[in-house]
């Protein structure tokens, strides 16, 4: 996959993730790939969530921003504990805030806004505890596509 981000854009997204995670035990990842291999990007986001072991955080409070940039598909998905804590319309509201910027081709700004919104909710429901919290997941942007089938 080609990285659609400049080094400065990549660094800005990682900085946004780190800033959002400063006050929470929650974990945020961004995954980019060229095209979405499933009809629904939320289904692919769930697959990537598992591939990145995001379901293995201690508090089950990981959040994934998934973007298939060439096919223009986007999803945001949270693990069970954060999903149970946030208001019912939170994921849709966050998705729409991101997509509003995407419509103006402000992709990094859209992701940064979504990351900030998620960070605020994570801070509210999963505040940082200096004695117990650690960064459980890599903050870097992940790239790729579906893993090749072993049947081939």
């Amino acid at each position: 996959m080609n990285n659609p981000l400049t080094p400065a854009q990549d660094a800005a997204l990682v900085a946004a993730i780190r800033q959002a995670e400063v006050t929470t035990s929650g974990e945020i990842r961004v995954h980019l790939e060229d095209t979405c291999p499933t009809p629904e990007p939320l289904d692919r986001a769930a697959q990537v969530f598992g591939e990145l072991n995001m379901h293995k955080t201690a508090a089950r409070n990981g959040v994934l921003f998934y973007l298939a940039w060439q096919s223009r598909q986007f999803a945001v998905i949270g693990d069970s504990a954060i999903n149970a804590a946030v208001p019912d319309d939170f994921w849709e509201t966050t998705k729409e805030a991101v997509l509003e910027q995407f419509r103006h081709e402000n992709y990094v700004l859209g992701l940064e806004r979504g990351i900030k919104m998620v960070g605020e909710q994570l801070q509210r429901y999963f505040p940082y505890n200096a004695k117990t919290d650690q960064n459980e997941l890599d903050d870097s942007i992940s790239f790729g596509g579906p893993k090749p089938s072993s049947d081939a």
Side-chain angles (χ1 to χ4, degrees):
M1 126 143 226
N2 295 320
N3 181 349
L5 302 173
T6 66
Q9 290 171 323
D10 190 290
L13 287 175
V14 171
I17 291 167
R18 289 182 177 152
Q19 181 61 40
E21 290 182 355
V22 163
T23 57
T24 179
S25 65
E27 297 290 336
I28 300 170
R29 297 284 321 255
V30 173
H31 181 83
L32 303 177
E33 56 190 27
D34 295 332
T35 59
C36 183
T38 61
E40 291 295 323
L42 196 56
D43 293 339
R44 176 62 181 150
Q47 290 174 347
V48 172
F49 197 94
E51 290 170 8
L52 296 175
N53 292 316
M54 294 186 68
H55 59 292
K56 293 184 178 180
T57 60
R60 300 297 303 260
N61 57 0
V63 176
L64 175 67
F65 288 83
Y66 168 81
L67 174 61
W69 65 279
Q70 286 181 345
S71 57
R72 298 182 165 291
Q73 293 171 288
F74 172 75
V76 59
I77 187 171
D79 207 343
S80 57
I82 183 64
N83 194 44
V86 296
D88 290 342
D89 65 344
F90 175 71
W91 301 114
E92 190 61 29
T93 302
T94 302
K95 181 177 132 183
E96 282 306 313
V98 173
L99 291 176
E100 178 60 30
Q101 292 303 313
F102 283 8
R103 289 182 193 105
H104 300 289
E105 298 186 8
N106 297 324
Y107 302 106
V108 173
L109 180 59
L111 288 169
E112 287 174 329
R113 287 200 177 160
I115 290 165
K116 183 177 182 198
M117 291 172 73
V118 165
E120 289 167 354
Q121 293 300 306
L122 286 169
Q123 177 185 3
R124 178 177 180 185
Y125 296 109
F126 302 95
Y128 179 76
N129 179 333
K131 292 181 181 179
T132 60
D133 288 342
Q134 60 182 359
N135 192 10
E136 296 177 83
L137 299 174
D138 190 350
D139 295 333
S140 66
I141 311 306
S142 61
F143 299 93
K147 300 207 181 326
S149 166
S150 58
D151 301 344

